[in-house]
Amino acid sequence: MKFMKLGSKPDSFKTDGNNVWFVTSELAADVIINVGDSKFYLHKFPLLSKSGRLQKLVGSTDEEEIDIHEIPGGPTAFEICAKFCYGMTVTLNAHNVVSAYCAADYLEMYETIDKGNLVYKLSVFMNSSIFRSWKDSIIVLQTTRYMSSSSEEPKLVNLCINSIASKASVDVSNVDWSYTYNRKKLPQEKEPVNELNGGLRNRIVPKDWWVEDLAELEIGLYKQVLVSIINKGLVCNEVIGEALKAFALRRLPGFNRSIVHSDDILKARSVVDIIARLLPLEKGCVSCDFLLKLLKMAILVDSGEMVKRALVKRVGQQLEEATVQDLLIQAKEDDGETEGMIYNTNMVHEIVKEFIVQDQMGEFGDEEHEIRETGRTNGGILSEASKLMVAKLVDGYLAEISKDPNLPLGMFVDLAEMVSDFDRPAHDGLYRAIDMYLKAHPGITKSERKRICKLMDCKKLSVDACAHAVQNERLPMRVVVQVLFFEQARAATSSGSSTPDLPKSIKALNVPNGKPATGPEDDWDGVASAEELKALKEELTALRIRNPGPKSTVSDKVSVPRVKGLLSTKKIFSKIWSSKGGVRESSGSDSSESFGSANPDESKSTPSRKERYSVS
């Protein structure tokens, strides 16, 4: 830290401990200066020789006491100015130079009053030393917030901001000052430094070397500094994003856990709003994980709709980077749209909508080679890989929220249908979500059960999923038989044989809105009883023919016969189709466990400040 000493006489200011100050001298004090709750018993001559304001005040009154309660910096700053008038030794540094400067300006300690006066000396010190130091510039800027009563405060703030912004915008190869102010040192910075020609050393300076230091600033000052850095246009957006992340972690202690104490809501709202407004427009400059945490905080502190809408749009643009855990946004108790629900599904619906909108608004004039390289479709700008990732993400999210007993079926179906056009090779994730919803909502009607099961394509279920489905009491009988049919057709294809002439009633299952040839449709849409599934399984086990092909099928896993045996099962199929009143609603809680396991917490790497990210 830079410092400057003024004066040469010993410090002879004394106090009696009751906020009364005096100078030990043979001459009696002839003026009393009242500053706040402190009294200074001083001498007119040294004070009036340096201060234009005191000259005016003393000359306009016969009183021995003068009040200057409004002096910036209070008694401490006045003491520095008084000692300078007496020629006593005074040490100035980044912590007290601003208060001393503002107090000297208030007392009109200018060159017109006396050559080499305090205002001039402090100006030279700040311009030649303080503003050339990274650490001191930040300290000085922090102290300006206490000087709001000074006319010089705006000028000092601008000088500090310009100094800091200019240093932060310097190419890292030209950084020749210490940049280890608040953050933890990198491993290589702990090694001995090689001095070269009196300058700093040969070391690699990280691009975001300044972000933790600025996070120490009060929110209003931080905004001004970052805006100045952005306006200079010399710092890349990724580093600006890192700076905002560091500020969020420092100013929002519960940021990673989406927790805010009630006493801190107003302050947290200001932080969230400023970060949201300062986010660079460039996609990918901050991680989707960070954006979703910021959105959760915006909801928690009740930020304005414009802020939340902007964050939803940003998240939608990078949705393929998100994890299921990221999307679990807690519903607020006072939110009428999600009353009684655990999660805010409406917000996720809006996020997925934004993801789809950007594809629909994509440029149609892409060059052919760009389309080949990125895998984009002709109708949008999103790659097939991105769409597949989002489809899987939505499946996992549906599986998680389906455990909520208060989740309306309409919300589940609407969200699933939003990604129904995204081509994906398997529907196992969607089947798992549907099964978990049926398990958590045993009381839904036959039509609702049919509606939710229509979301999945039985042809796209894996062997394991098929094995689970044919024993699942929660599924309508139509779905169970569809699974059997498609699995046996797959077995026939894998073994190289042709599919035999199947019963018309089974073929009807493959026709949209098709109705079975025998029996009422209600029997098909109702769930099968445990006895019916057991009878079906026993019949199929008796007719089982193991598939010798290389691919495993349900025939190997749950004793479902290959296509040759399908014709022999007509008896049991007809028995189920023709049954009336034999189908019962089942909670499904005892028949089978939900297919698949819960999605593990996905730990995704996000752009981070390399090696040091515990923000101290």
Side-chain angles (χ1 to χ4, degrees):
M1 181 181 294
K2 305 291 184 181
F3 66 93
M4 177 179 69
K5 283 190 176 182
L6 297 176
S8 57
K9 296 180 182 179
D11 183 357
S12 57
F13 261 59
K14 305 296 181 181
T15 179
D16 65 358
N18 295 315
N19 293 325
V20 174
W21 294 84
F22 57 91
V23 177
T24 55
S25 172
E26 296 178 356
L27 299 175
D30 54 6
V31 65
I32 301 173
I33 309 295
N34 295 316
V35 183
D37 58 356
S38 297
K39 285 181 176 292
F40 290 85
Y41 289 81
L42 304 174
H43 303 87
K44 292 180 181 179
F45 176 73
L47 296 178
L48 302 186
S49 65
K50 301 287 186 181
S51 171
R53 180 178 287 268
L54 290 179
Q55 289 178 9
K56 298 172 187 175
L57 291 174
V58 170
S60 63
T61 180
D62 295 329
E63 299 291 335
E64 291 185 355
E65 290 196 34
I66 299 173
D67 295 332
I68 51 173
H69 299 301
E70 66 275 16
I71 184 173
T76 302
F78 176 75
E79 181 186 350
I80 293 174
C81 295
K83 287 180 179 180
F84 175 79
C85 294
Y86 279 91
M88 298 176 188
T89 301
V90 179
T91 301
L92 283 305
N93 55 43
H95 291 285
N96 61 12
V97 68
V98 168
S99 60
Y101 181 89
C102 292
D105 177 70
Y106 173 84
L107 293 173
E108 300 177 11
M109 301 175 73
Y110 304 135
E111 290 293 281
T112 55
I113 304 298
D114 187 46
K115 289 294 182 181
N117 215 338
L118 187 54
V119 169
Y120 170 76
K121 288 185 178 294
L122 294 179
S123 297
V124 171
F125 174 56
M126 285 190 287
N127 289 318
S128 63
S129 297
I130 295 294
F131 294 143
R132 293 189 178 185
S133 167
W134 169 255
K135 298 178 183 179
D136 290 347
S137 295
I138 294 178
I139 294 172
V140 166
L141 183 59
Q142 289 173 315
T143 63
T144 59
R145 58 180 170 167
Y146 304 113
M147 300 293 111
S148 57
S149 61
S150 171
S151 61
E152 289 295 294
E153 186 263 344
K155 182 175 74 174
L156 289 175
V157 169
N158 290 334
L159 288 171
C160 291
I161 289 174
N162 186 63
S163 170
I164 295 170
S166 297
K167 288 178 175 60
S169 301
V170 168
D171 188 281
V172 292
S173 62
N174 296 323
V175 172
D176 59 355
W177 52 81
S178 174
Y179 54 88
T180 57
Y181 179 32
N182 287 308
R183 65 169 178 77
K184 292 184 177 180
K185 292 184 179 181
L186 296 173
Q188 61 266 31
E189 294 171 345
K190 298 178 182 179
E191 299 174 357
V193 170
N194 296 322
E195 296 290 344
L196 293 176
N197 299 324
L200 266 188
R201 56 290 109 186
N202 285 329
R203 83 163 55 143
I204 298 176
V205 180
K207 290 183 177 180
D208 56 358
W209 60 268
W210 49 268
V211 298
E212 279 98 350
D213 288 351
L214 293 195
E216 290 292 313
L217 293 173
E218 179 268 333
I219 184 170
L221 296 174
Y222 179 85
K223 178 183 177 181
Q224 293 180 66
V225 172
L226 201 62
V227 167
S228 181
I229 293 174
I230 293 171
N231 289 340
K232 288 183 182 296
L234 299 175
V235 177
C236 65
N237 287 330
E238 287 78 7
V239 176
I240 298 297
E242 291 296 331
L244 293 170
K245 288 166 64 176
F247 189 68
L249 291 172
R250 183 62 58 87
R251 294 297 173 182
L252 300 170
F255 184 74
N256 283 329
R257 295 170 294 155
S258 299
I259 296 175
V260 177
H261 295 296
S262 57
D263 296 339
D264 299 329
I265 288 181
L266 292 178
K267 185 186 297 183
R269 185 187 303 159
S270 298
V271 174
V272 170
D273 291 356
I274 284 179
I275 292 176
R277 289 187 173 95
L278 292 178
L279 282 171
L281 296 178
E282 181 184 356
K283 176 182 176 181
C285 60
V286 291
S287 67
C288 189
D289 168 69
F290 173 75
L291 290 171
L292 277 163
K293 287 177 180 176
L294 194 61
L295 176 59
K296 291 175 183 178
M297 291 297 292
I299 296 171
L300 200 58
V301 301
D302 198 23
S303 292
E305 288 301 318
M306 289 184 64
V307 171
K308 288 186 281 189
R309 185 63 198 164
L311 290 173
V312 166
K313 186 173 183 178
R314 292 294 300 273
V315 173
Q317 293 173 350
Q318 301 175 218
L319 186 56
E320 66 271 20
E321 301 173 16
T323 66
V324 172
Q325 194 64 34
D326 292 336
L327 291 179
L328 296 179
I329 303 172
Q330 295 289 330
K332 295 185 69 174
E333 294 181 1
D334 56 351
D335 188 347
E337 295 182 354
T338 57
E339 186 175 359
M341 294 171 56
I342 300 175
Y343 300 112
N344 190 335
T345 308
N346 289 331
M347 191 65 72
V348 176
H349 185 281
E350 292 301 311
I351 291 172
V352 177
K353 182 179 178 181
E354 284 295 337
F355 178 82
I356 296 172
V357 165
Q358 67 171 325
D359 187 52
Q360 296 172 345
M361 296 176 64
E363 298 177 6
F364 291 91
D366 288 340
E367 296 292 337
E368 184 177 352
H369 71 278
E370 288 183 340
I371 297 176
R372 286 199 304 268
E373 289 176 359
T374 61
R376 293 172 180 170
T377 59
N378 291 333
I381 63 173
L382 297 176
S383 68
E384 291 302 319
S386 294
K387 292 180 179 180
L388 178 59
M389 292 170 69
V390 170
K392 289 182 176 180
L393 176 67
V394 171
D395 289 346
Y397 177 76
L398 289 172
E400 192 64 33
I401 65 172
S402 63
K403 303 171 187 176
D404 183 358
N406 294 320
L407 177 68
L409 177 68
M411 283 190 175
F412 184 103
V413 172
D414 289 347
L415 190 54
E417 287 179 342
M418 293 184 76
V419 295
S420 60
D421 292 337
F422 293 178
D423 188 30
R424 42 191 158 164
H427 273 203
D428 286 18
L430 182 56
Y431 167 64
R432 175 174 170 268
I434 291 171
D435 184 43
M436 293 186 73
Y437 187 89
L438 295 176
K439 186 175 183 179
H441 302 78
I444 65 174
T445 64
K446 291 181 181 180
S447 60
E448 289 174 330
R449 202 175 294 266
K450 177 180 178 182
R451 180 186 178 191
I452 194 172
C453 288
K454 278 185 176 181
L455 294 170
M456 67 177 174
D457 186 347
C458 294
K459 296 190 294 293
K460 293 187 175 183
L461 295 181
S462 68
V463 173
D464 289 333
C466 289
H468 187 276
V470 296
Q471 302 178 84
N472 192 343
E473 295 181 27
R474 294 181 279 272
L475 297 178
M477 181 56 66
R478 176 190 297 270
V479 176
V480 175
V481 177
Q482 277 183 320
V483 172
L484 289 171
F485 168 75
F486 291 126
E487 181 56 29
Q488 294 191 74
R490 178 162 53 189
T493 302
S494 64
S495 63
S497 61
S498 59
T499 305
D501 189 15
L502 302 176
K504 292 181 179 180
S505 55
I506 296 180
K507 288 183 178 181
L509 293 173
N510 298 314
V511 181
N513 300 320
K515 297 182 180 180
T518 309
E521 186 173 4
D522 280 351
D523 288 341
W524 281 93
D525 296 330
V527 294
S529 66
E531 292 79 6
E532 290 169 332
L533 286 173
K534 182 178 179 181
L536 177 60
K537 184 178 178 181
E538 289 175 352
E539 178 74 12
L540 296 174
T541 301
L543 298 171
R544 180 173 181 265
I545 301 176
R546 183 173 297 277
N547 177 26
K551 296 184 178 180
S552 173
T553 68
V554 171
S555 300
D556 301 312
K557 293 183 176 290
V558 291
S559 304
V560 179
R562 292 169 55 210
V563 176
K564 285 185 179 180
L566 182 59
L567 296 178
S568 302
T569 67
K570 290 172 63 177
K571 178 179 179 181
I572 188 67
F573 286 151
S574 298
K575 176 182 176 182
I576 297 174
W577 297 338
S578 60
S579 65
K580 296 182 179 180
V583 178
R584 61 176 176 82
E585 290 289 343
S586 170
S587 67
S589 59
D590 299 323
S591 64
S592 63
E593 294 299 323
S594 293
F595 171 69
S597 59
N599 284 349
D601 289 337
E602 304 172 38
S603 81
K604 299 188 69 170
S605 63
T606 58
S608 65
R609 270 154 278 144
K610 311 296 181 289
E611 307 167 53
R612 61 175 188 274
Y613 280 135
S614 60
V615 180
S616 57

